Amino acid sequence: MSTAESRRSGQPGVPPGVQPGVPAGATATPLPRASAEDDNVTIGELVGELTQDLSRLMRQELELAKAELRQEASKAGKATGMLAAAGFAGYMTAVLLSLAAVFGLAHLMGLGWAALVVAVLWGIAGAVLFTTGRTRLRKVSPKPERTIETLKEDAEWLRHPTK
């Protein structure tokens, strides 16, 4: 092999177009070569890149926090809806119990007792809705847990960026 061929392949004794360590017939991706500009990166440019990266990271953390808060607000809204339904069931209970008392006293039997049974059923429905809504409302987290965890990981990385 001539000196010109070894200069074209980049290594002496290697034919042109063949890269060492790459099987014959396989295509190799050329490695990026450091340019003279890469050697002259200033501290100001590095600080600028670091600032941009930190800014992007903070924006992403903020988006994560917003998403978590939206999710928790949705849970709170559903639990509130159940509590509102329990309030309506309580209202219906009071109305029907009042009607049952009126009809019961007026007739002593028949229509009043039927209204009483319906009122008791509304009372049971209200109790179930209230209990379920209260349980779900207790499960709503006031803190964005995943955001807090990733912020801790980011702080740890900033303390030890080479790990």
Side-chain angles (χ1 to χ4, degrees):
M1 173 183 286
S2 71
T3 326
E5 288 177 339
S6 65
R7 271 190 237 132
R8 275 184 266 146
S9 69
Q11 292 194 354
V14 178
V18 175
Q19 290 187 349
V22 177
T27 57
T29 316
L31 296 173
R33 299 212 175 212
S35 66
E37 293 175 10
D38 291 342
D39 294 338
N40 296 329
V41 175
T42 66
I43 292 177
E45 290 170 341
L46 291 175
V47 169
E49 283 183 34
L50 180 62
T51 304
Q52 286 176 344
D53 290 345
L54 286 174
S55 176
R56 186 180 318 114
L57 179 63
M58 285 296 133
R59 282 193 302 271
Q60 289 171 344
E61 293 295 343
L62 184 61
E63 288 301 316
L64 177 61
K66 285 180 185 178
E68 276 190 89
L69 290 175
R70 267 187 241 114
Q71 190 176 36
E72 292 302 314
S74 173
K75 284 183 191 176
K78 290 176 184 176
T80 302
M82 287 191 165
L83 290 176
F88 177 71
Y91 171 75
M92 291 302 298
T93 301
V95 168
L96 293 174
L97 282 174
S98 297
L99 286 173
V102 169
F103 287 123
L105 289 175
H107 298 286
L108 289 174
M109 291 297 261
L111 186 59
W113 289 108
L116 184 60
V117 169
V118 171
V120 169
L121 291 175
W122 269 109
I124 292 169
V128 168
L129 286 170
F130 175 78
T131 305
T132 306
R134 184 179 61 183
T135 302
R136 287 192 182 178
L137 194 56
R138 286 182 179 163
K139 290 181 182 178
V140 173
S141 175
K143 302 184 279 187
E145 300 291 337
R146 291 184 304 207
T147 302
I148 291 170
E149 184 63 33
T150 58
L151 283 173
K152 287 178 184 176
E153 290 172 4
D154 295 343
E156 183 63 29
W157 178 83
L158 283 173
R159 282 188 219 114
H160 309 287
T162 57
K163 282 189 177 180

